[in-house]
Amino acid sequence: MNNGEKKNMTVKTFGVIGSGQMGNGIAQVAAASGLQVVMSDVKQEFAEKGLAAIGKNLNRLVEKEKISQADGQAILSRVKITTNLEDMAAADYVVEAATEREELKFGIFRELDRICPPHVILGTNTSSIPIGRIAAQTDRPEKVIGMHFMNPVPVMKLVEVIRGLATSDETFSITWQLCEKFGKTPAEANDFPGFIANRILMPMINEAIFCLYQSVGKKEDIDTVMKLGMNHPMGPLALADLIGLDTCLAIMETLYDGFKDSKYRPCPLLRKYVEAGWLGRKSGKGFYTY
């Protein structure tokens, strides 16, 4: 690990693609660890909204006396926003946290491969798309890795670290140490659709949606059974709303396409909700109304 440790010292500027729920959370933990952060999005208003979310989270920590006001301001000052992907040329390590759409991610990685110097590691926060498939879009597959954070990022301790077929030991080592620098606990997963977390979680959520679809129980009762019977902090339908029903559907489709196994077939009710624009918390309506 010595080579990785020495290399890790050169990661001073951390790039994040996407300023949504996951992106701004990743930017926050990176800035809190002392790194300079460049967070990009396609529109200025999106980037500003992401920066405001970080500020709000930090203010909450100040109010709870978990950090000082000076620390909060220092963390926020380390996050710079941009709408120009070319600014990622300044980063030593970049993580993509864009919407869970394969072609979108492929396009971003092709651009990052062109923009970023050859030594830069390109991570992806994808929750289900095979890392090898993303790495193949670049001329640096050995420097592409999965860095799958959990939502909400500042709170959740886990990061799944997924190496593709070509990912080098050095890339893995640096990524592992960055996770620890961020105060997270990394867990290694092999490059299969859904990795570990979503290969287990998403079929459970999908089955809960089938229970609602087939009138096995009302949404409140389904969630109550899993909260009180299985000691889950929130029910699967409420969790689906938090994740985003479009993201849940995309992951189920990736699992179904990857394994060709009917147990991963997305519930028709999930597809119906997504087609209607009922995406959960972010749209104001999903299984519940917000």
Side-chain angles (χ1 to χ4, degrees):
M1 293 283 277
N2 286 338
N3 190 31
E5 282 167 15
K6 193 165 76 177
K7 237 355 192 180
N8 195 31
M9 296 301 291
T10 65
V11 180
K12 294 175 183 172
T13 303
F14 190 80
V16 182
I17 309 297
S19 62
Q21 202 170 30
M22 297 303 293
N24 69 58
I26 296 167
Q28 181 181 323
V29 299
S33 78
L35 298 181
Q36 296 296 320
V37 177
V38 181
M39 180 172 70
S40 81
D41 215 316
V42 290
K43 289 185 179 178
Q44 183 69 19
E45 62 189 277
F46 295 165
E48 287 174 0
K49 188 178 176 184
L51 189 63
I54 295 172
K56 192 175 174 184
N57 285 342
L58 293 171
N59 285 339
R60 202 176 294 129
L61 292 174
V62 171
E63 285 165 13
K64 291 179 178 178
E65 298 184 347
K66 293 192 173 179
I67 59 171
S68 69
Q69 190 157 10
D71 285 344
Q73 288 169 346
I75 292 167
L76 194 61
S77 73
R78 286 195 283 271
V79 182
K80 306 299 179 194
I81 58 173
T82 182
T83 56
N84 187 359
L85 208 60
E86 301 283 341
D87 290 340
M88 289 299 154
D92 304 305
Y93 193 116
V94 180
V95 167
E96 165 276 318
T99 307
E100 192 72 358
R101 292 206 317 269
E102 200 169 84
E103 280 309 316
L104 175 65
K105 290 182 186 291
F106 286 178
I108 290 169
F109 270 80
R110 286 193 289 267
E111 281 295 285
L112 289 175
D113 191 41
R114 177 184 64 80
I115 293 164
C116 297
H119 71 276
V120 175
I121 294 172
L122 305 179
T124 173
N125 186 55
T126 180
S127 44
S128 62
I129 299 166
I131 305 306
R133 206 180 293 168
I134 294 172
Q137 306 304 311
T138 75
D139 289 329
R140 64 180 89 192
E142 74 286 353
K143 292 192 177 294
V144 177
I145 194 164
M147 197 181 195
H148 180 213
F149 291 81
M150 303 295 125
N151 187 25
V153 178
V155 177
M156 301 294 276
K157 286 291 185 186
L158 176 69
V159 180
E160 263 187 310
V161 179
I162 311 106
R163 59 198 302 169
L165 201 60
T167 305
S168 71
D169 289 343
E170 181 183 70
T171 296
F172 180 82
S173 170
I174 292 170
T175 302
W176 191 273
Q177 290 167 68
L178 264 181
C179 292
E180 292 176 333
K181 183 180 175 71
F182 294 167
K184 304 301 181 188
T185 301
E188 184 179 0
N190 282 325
D191 192 16
F192 286 90
F195 319 127
I196 296 171
N198 281 317
R199 186 167 173 181
I200 295 169
L201 174 66
M202 282 301 156
M204 184 199 76
I205 287 176
N206 196 50
E207 197 61 34
I209 300 169
F210 266 113
C211 285
L212 183 65
Y213 180 56
Q214 295 168 345
S215 301
V216 179
K218 295 193 290 290
K219 60 178 181 279
E220 296 85 358
D221 295 318
I222 293 166
D223 278 355
T224 297
V225 165
M226 296 306 290
K227 281 195 295 183
L228 302 185
M230 285 68 188
N231 207 25
H232 290 190
M234 67 193 304
L237 300 177
L239 180 56
D241 278 353
L242 176 66
I243 293 167
L245 303 193
D246 51 340
T247 301
C248 293
L249 178 60
I251 295 168
M252 287 308 301
E253 286 178 331
T254 299
L255 289 169
Y256 188 56
D257 290 345
F259 294 113
K260 299 292 187 284
D261 189 327
S262 62
K263 74 180 178 181
Y264 299 116
R265 178 174 68 94
C267 179
L269 185 62
L270 174 59
R271 193 179 301 280
K272 194 173 180 179
Y273 273 42
V274 172
E275 287 171 352
W278 294 6
L279 307 181
R281 290 196 186 197
K282 62 186 170 186
S283 70
K285 185 170 179 61
F287 294 108
Y288 296 90
T289 302
Y290 300 91

